[in-house]
């Protein structure tokens, strides 16, 4: 048989793993600096933990795991009946009781509810793990991919919103991507609908202004008009959304628009906490920002690469991060009233942006510093002892395992992309002076073992 | 609903993740030092990639993934027929085309075959990933657990056997566990059967001597006698197995016992490569060591905790590592003749041993160095700015997000196990001298921000 990958999944070669580890390590260091602690949950969750949490479409995309032992004879009739239930879209439990996790949020909520008596709240956690979705695979969309989430649950303090903005700012700075961090508040969006006189058309209005980037104000006007929103109502919406500052925005809302006032107050508090913070990136209010409407209740965030930054003009990529405040994460598991706020990083997209910008320069192609080659049994044994000395000194080192021909070993060294090769022949063994070749420059020099240890030891 | 974990799976809290990361990081550093490079493969493999690779029992334990879209109406009849095939133990493809990986070896072989033209051989890779098995969960046995494998494929050089012994030695030294590294050679085991005059009873003899530890020589004699092996044959077996050195062993075998001679030669070569190596741990020849009989063809290794080492007397744990030389890893995917050798680390068992020995002392309970508390809005804002300075200086810091009561914040700090708390009240804000409390000793001292930055910056 010809072995193949499962459609929509990827192997990661060493060069790719090193780049991905660099992204995760960079993010992890920032998370830890801000007091977030790691959590890991299992790949498999009870099917009922996941079902109904991601809408009908999400339910369809869950990878369900077949129950074991269905072919045991005494159960066959029951299995047939269970399968019929599954075919009729009813109960699938007889056939499948487990599924692969679809995101990190629901398992996090499950963990919080199960461990509520042991957790000290506010609970700050980060989680970097794979998730699986049965989406149709396409460019940039995979059936197995990593999510990278940080959340704090059990506090409604807006200090955390400020902290998460700083985490985005510092994380992307550490990753060497210039970004724009967009902020809005779901209550402002609701306030707009009220201010415009269409409190029941909040969804319609939000969907329309979310498209402003693509269709412009003419397009938004047309779309809103088709839904019966025009004239003065449209003018109010346009004025609010076009506000560039908090004070402009405040002037747009009536004092009795209490939801808008609450949204304004929240944004002001966040910015008060950010007062004096010297950001590396642009932090922008953006009243067109919507994100998952049904989920968030307060501030919402989104991060995009800043195409006005030097060298980043060609980056074509949607959001590389997003998140916000939610008020009832654990409600689905019977524990209401826990406010939380979280953000996530789009690791695969960040990877693609860094690759496009050629900004993985801190990541070596090969972590091996020295590669030894020997050409007869005696010098192989001698070289292997020097390799051991180098390793004992903390120098990542490797050796060709046989006294093969020079060409063969050199070709191998080339393909492995070793930075430096140490040549050990009879002459070198007798003189104690080894030939160290820089594979990039081609430069060679003679060095004793002591000199090698001194130069390359960490 | 009351949320639950899937049976046999675990959540890892932050304290557990930190300990596990410490084990993996320690191992990874050693692997890199020896020139091994990372590989990651997807959780899901094609079912046909996995089926038949782990015996009938293994096939039963695979977690198969239900194909999506079985409930789409136009396919129902086909689905029923496919399900009938599954019930009859025939073809399951119509119901399930994918399964979760069962080990790291088969996906590695698949990767090597698929990428044979891009890989430079010998190919040295390490892989640390989860695997899933539908075993009955019990103490110490999980349905999701991590494997940690290193292999080199595409060379039959015995230098790699020596290197892997050194890796075991250095890895367990770095983890602060004293171990015994046992070595045998499958060819010696075959040679014993030939020398005893029962070449066709290789399996029987190996199984019997594998039990020597538990049943003693009397038990082994009884077992072998029941299979028709006794008298002079038994004496030969006993003499060989009881050999303490290579030279004793050599005297036991006839020169015409070519498989034994080859095994002896291989062991001698490995020990020649190890000549002069100052091991941290005991490296012992053990001719009772068998391991997976059908798989290995040359040297085999096993690691156990050394219960004669100080403080380790109470460790009751089977093998915490094992591996060996195999000759046809990629043969199942149609590419024959690739010799390879590999070892694995039992991460869960290593975790349990370290926990029992209380040797996680390098791992902090909490990675946060300073935790700030403030008691009114003004000092909260002030403290938050100092937190930002600390974080900018690389000090992992956190802050209680509200001006809550002292007791409440202190209780939180206790539960989070912060090492140091920084108290910021009105007095502290006015004087610029903050109160830094060591939570373990209870000692308090006044420090300015500059002093804090100097003392705690990395």
């Amino acid at each position: 048989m010809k072995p193949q990958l499962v459609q929509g999944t990827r192997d990661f070669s060493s060069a790719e793993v090193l780049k991905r580890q660099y992204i995760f390590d960079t993010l992890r260091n920032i998370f830890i600096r801000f007091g977030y602690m790691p959590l890991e949950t299992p790949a498999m969750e009870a099917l009922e933990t996941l079902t109904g949490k991601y809408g009908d479409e999400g339910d369809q995309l869950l990878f369900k795991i077949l129950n074991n032992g269905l072919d045991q004879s005494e159960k066959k009739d029951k299995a047939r009946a269970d399968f019929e239930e599954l075919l009729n879209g009813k109960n699938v439990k007889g056939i499948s009781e487990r599924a692969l996790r679809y995101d990190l949020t629901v398992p996090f909520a499950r963990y919080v509810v199960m461990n509520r008596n042991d957790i000290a709240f506010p609970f700050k956690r980060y989680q970097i793990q794979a998730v699986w979705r049965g989406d149709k695979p396409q460019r940039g969309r995979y059936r197995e991919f990593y999510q990278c989430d940080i959340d704090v649950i059990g506090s409604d303090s807006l200090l955390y919103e400020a902290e998460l903005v700083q985490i985005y700012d510092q994380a992307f700075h550490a990753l060497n991507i210039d970004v724009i961090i967009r902020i809005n508040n779901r209550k402002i969006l609701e306030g707009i609908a009220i201010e415009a006189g269409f409190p029941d058309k909040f969804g319609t209005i939000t969907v329309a202004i979310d498209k402003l980037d693509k269709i412009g104000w003419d397009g938004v006007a047309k779309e809103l008009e088709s839904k019966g929103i025009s004239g003065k109502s449209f003018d109010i919406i346009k004025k609010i959304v076009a506000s560039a500052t908090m004070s402009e925005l405040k002037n747009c809302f009536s004092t009795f628009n209490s939801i808008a006032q609450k949204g304004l107050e929240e944004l002001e508090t966040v910015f008060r906490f950010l007062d004096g913070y010297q950001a590396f990136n642009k932090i922008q209010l953006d009243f067109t920002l919507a994100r998952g409407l049904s989920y968030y209740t307060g501030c919402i965030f989104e991060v995009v690469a800043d195409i006005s930054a030097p060298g980043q003009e060609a980056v074509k990529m949607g959001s590389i991060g997003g998140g916000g405040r939610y008020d009832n994460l654990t409600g689905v598991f019977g524990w209401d009233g826990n406010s939380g706020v979280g953000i996530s990083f789009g690791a695969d997209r960040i990877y693609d942006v860094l690759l496009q910008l050629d900004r993985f320069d801190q990541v070596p192609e090969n972590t091996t510093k020295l590669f030894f080659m020997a050409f007869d049994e005696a010098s192989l044994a001698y070289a292997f002892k020097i390799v051991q000395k180098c390793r004992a000194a903390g120098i990542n080192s490797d050796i060709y395992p046989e006294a093969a021909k020079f060409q063969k070993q050199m070709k191998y060294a080339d393909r492995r992309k070793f930075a430096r090769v140490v040549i050990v022949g009879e002459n070198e063994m007798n003189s104690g002076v080894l030939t160290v070749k820089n594979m990039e420059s081609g430069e060679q020099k003679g060095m004793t073992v002591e000199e090698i240890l001194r130069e390359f030891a960490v």
Side-chain angles (χ1 to χ4, degrees), chain A residues 70-88:
Chain A
L70 287 174
D71 52 352
Q72 283 167 33
S73 55
E74 69 271 26
K75 291 183 181 171
K76 279 188 186 175
D77 279 344
K78 184 179 178 311
R80 278 188 201 98
D82 287 337
F83 192 69
E84 205 57 38
E85 292 252 298
L86 179 146
L87 287 182
N88 294 324

Side-chain angles (χ1 to χ4, degrees), chain A residues 5-281:
Chain A
L5 275 167
V6 163
Q7 209 196 1
T9 69
R10 297 163 286 176
D11 288 321
F12 295 111
S13 70
S14 63
E16 290 163 322
V17 173
L18 292 176
K19 290 185 182 76
R20 289 165 57 85
Q21 275 177 356
Y22 158 77
I23 294 175
F24 295 138
D25 288 347
T26 303
L27 295 177
R28 198 181 283 120
N29 282 336
I30 303 279
F31 301 162
I32 289 171
R33 191 165 306 157
F34 280 76
Y36 287 79
M37 300 290 287
L39 171 70
E40 290 182 8
T41 65
M44 294 188 286
E45 292 282 349
L47 186 55
E48 57 190 355
T49 298
L50 305 182
T51 305
K53 307 301 188 298
Y54 310 105
D56 287 347
E57 202 204 351
D59 283 352
Q60 294 295 321
L61 301 180
L62 289 174
F63 280 114
K64 301 180 187 76
I65 292 162
L66 200 63
N67 293 348
N68 284 339
L70 287 174
D71 52 352
Q72 283 167 33
S73 55
E74 69 271 26
K75 291 183 181 171
K76 279 188 186 175
D77 279 344
K78 184 179 178 311
R80 278 188 201 98
D82 287 337
F83 192 69
E84 205 57 38
E85 292 252 298
L86 179 146
L87 287 182
N88 294 324
K90 289 180 192 162
N91 189 1
V92 302
K93 232 180 145 175
I95 303 298
S96 168
E97 289 183 328
R98 292 168 289 240
L100 295 181
R101 75 175 157 246
Y102 184 86
D103 71 359
L104 304 182
T105 307
V106 170
F108 172 55
R110 175 195 54 70
Y111 177 85
V112 168
V113 172
M114 281 178 65
N115 297 278
R116 57 205 277 186
N117 296 323
D118 300 320
I119 292 172
F121 294 96
F123 178 49
K124 301 174 89 172
R125 84 88 173 75
Y126 73 83
Q127 196 170 352
I128 304 175
Q129 294 192 278
V131 300
W132 296 270
R133 297 181 182 182
D135 270 308
K136 206 177 172 62
Q138 48 182 260
R139 213 183 116 75
R141 189 194 285 169
Y142 302 100
R143 289 183 158 177
E144 171 179 87
F145 59 98
Y146 269 66
Q147 287 194 335
C148 180
D149 284 11
I150 63 177
D151 289 86
V152 52
I153 192 162
S155 165
D156 57 9
S157 169
L158 294 152
L159 182 142
Y160 288 126
E161 271 82 343
E163 199 175 81
L164 293 172
V165 168
Q166 293 175 346
I167 288 176
Y168 265 148
D169 183 49
Q170 293 176 34
F172 284 105
H173 179 67
L175 288 169
N176 196 15
I177 305 176
D178 289 309
V179 296
I180 300 170
I181 302 162
R182 295 190 182 131
I183 306 180
N184 195 6
N185 191 301
R186 150 94 183 213
K187 298 186 179 86
I188 299 286
L189 291 171
E190 287 185 49
I192 291 174
I194 292 166
E195 202 70 33
F198 292 93
D200 55 330
K201 291 202 170 155
F202 158 57
T204 306
I205 295 171
T206 306
V207 167
I209 60 180
D210 188 34
K211 295 183 193 158
L212 178 61
D213 255 13
K214 285 174 199 127
I215 61 177
W217 276 117
D218 285 352
V220 174
K222 215 172 283 172
E223 178 161 334
L224 287 175
E225 198 172 3
S226 76
K227 311 274 179 177
I229 304 166
S230 60
K232 202 178 161 210
S233 290
F234 174 75
D235 294 340
I236 289 171
I237 293 169
K238 186 171 174 182
K239 193 175 168 203
I240 296 173
V241 171
S243 307
T245 63
M246 281 300 293
S247 55
E248 269 185 57
L249 184 68
K250 281 172 84 167
N251 290 329
C252 298
F253 285 113
S254 329
T255 49
F256 59 80
N257 189 340
S258 60
I259 188 111
Q261 294 301 334
K262 186 79 174 64
L264 288 168
E265 195 187 306
E266 288 181 7
L267 284 175
E268 282 184 316
T269 306
V270 174
F271 281 101
R272 203 159 48 238
F273 276 120
L274 287 173
D275 186 43
Y277 175 66
Q278 301 282 327
F280 298 105
N281 295 286

Side-chain angles (χ1 to χ4, degrees), chain A residues 307-346:
Chain A
I307 56 168
S308 76
Q312 296 194 172
E313 299 79 6
V315 175
K316 281 194 186 96
M317 183 64 77
S319 118
I320 51 178
R325 166 73 62 176
Y326 42 81
D327 274 345
N328 206 6
L329 184 74
T330 54
V332 285
F333 298 116
W335 190 27
D336 282 314
N338 270 304
S339 190
V341 58
I343 57 175
S344 71
F345 289 79

